Amino acid sequence: AVAIDEAPASGTMVRFRTMQAAKDAGIETVAAAKGMEGAGVLATATLLADASHMAVINSRVIGIVRAIRADLGSRVARGAVLAILESSAVGEDRSRLQTANARASVAEANHRREQELYEKGVSALREVQEAEREWTAARAEVAAATGALGMIGTTAGPAGTYELRTPIAGTGTKRTATVGTLVDTDDA
């Protein structure tokens, strides 16, 4: 999870479920020490997290964590890479996109050739229409493959590699993944 780097609104409260969670967030408590009477400030504080300034980040695909790029407590910019995952689903989608791009390129060239032949009176209109239909179908396959990769937040990169990025700037407050573990879309 990443907490946004902005001061909380006046009256904002944060409540940790356990003392360990407070320690992980960098909050320390100490026993009161006897000191000068009359000196000091008496204050009561209740701290609660503002859910609109936090993001629970999980993988959008099943994959194996190959690298961790942000440690617990480190500050990250919006869009920063938190982890590198290797996923067969991403590899399949990228392969499908490459195949669709190749098919669209061939279909476009075929359509142009058929159009030229038709204009010279060598090819029938039906052949031009069939080539146009194939080109349209190939472009739709490219759009579908691009959309599938876009839904998980990736388009380019090595075959099955997926970069898990943070949607907000902030400080890492929790990390459950370690290098070599298999993560699922339900893991946060």
Side-chain angles (χ1 to χ4, degrees), residues 18-34:
T18 65
M19 285 300 292
Q20 185 60 44
K23 286 180 183 177
D24 290 346
I27 296 175
E28 295 180 24
T29 58
V30 294
K34 188 173 186 175

Side-chain angles (χ1 to χ4, degrees), residues 98-169:
Q98 285 180 327
T99 301
N101 278 326
R103 182 171 177 237
S105 179
V106 169
E108 180 182 14
N110 188 43
H111 176 261
R112 289 179 197 267
R113 184 178 56 80
E114 288 294 338
Q115 185 69 38
E116 288 174 8
L117 291 174
Y118 174 73
E119 289 170 0
K120 292 177 182 176
V122 178
S123 184
L125 178 60
R126 181 176 162 266
E127 297 296 324
V128 174
Q129 291 170 337
E130 178 62 23
E132 185 173 0
R133 186 189 66 73
E134 285 294 321
W135 186 25
T136 300
R139 286 190 314 239
E141 286 178 15
V142 169
T146 301
L149 286 168
M151 284 178 58
I152 62 168
T154 188
T155 53
T161 303
Y162 165 63
E163 295 179 336
L164 180 63
R165 295 179 177 271
T166 176
I168 62 173

Side-chain angles (χ1 to χ4, degrees), residues 6-187:
E6 292 182 9
S10 179
T12 299
M13 297 187 302
V14 176
R15 180 176 297 151
F16 292 95
R17 290 181 193 232
T18 65
M19 285 300 292
Q20 185 60 44
K23 286 180 183 177
D24 290 346
I27 296 175
E28 295 180 24
T29 58
V30 294
K34 188 173 186 175
M36 296 174 43
E37 291 186 39
V41 176
L42 176 62
T44 303
T46 304
L47 304 172
L48 296 173
D50 181 358
S52 67
H53 290 85
M54 291 187 66
V56 176
I57 303 165
N58 61 323
S59 176
R60 295 181 184 168
V61 294
I62 296 172
I64 297 173
V65 178
R66 293 298 179 202
I68 301 287
R69 297 285 190 243
D71 289 321
L72 187 65
S74 62
R75 291 188 174 274
V76 292
R78 181 176 190 255
V81 176
L82 300 176
I84 307 293
L85 285 81
E86 195 171 85
S87 169
S88 62
V90 172
E92 289 173 13
D93 286 345
R94 285 207 178 113
S95 177
R96 194 170 314 133
L97 178 58
Q98 285 180 327
T99 301
N101 278 326
R103 182 171 177 237
S105 179
V106 169
E108 180 182 14
N110 188 43
H111 176 261
R112 289 179 197 267
R113 184 178 56 80
E114 288 294 338
Q115 185 69 38
E116 288 174 8
L117 291 174
Y118 174 73
E119 289 170 0
K120 292 177 182 176
V122 178
S123 184
L125 178 60
R126 181 176 162 266
E127 297 296 324
V128 174
Q129 291 170 337
E130 178 62 23
E132 185 173 0
R133 186 189 66 73
E134 285 294 321
W135 186 25
T136 300
R139 286 190 314 239
E141 286 178 15
V142 169
T146 301
L149 286 168
M151 284 178 58
I152 62 168
T154 188
T155 53
T161 303
Y162 165 63
E163 295 179 336
L164 180 63
R165 295 179 177 271
T166 176
I168 62 173
T171 303
T173 60
K174 178 181 176 185
R175 183 181 80 204
T176 58
T178 58
V179 175
T181 58
L182 178 69
V183 293
D184 200 339
T185 55
D186 296 333
D187 299 335

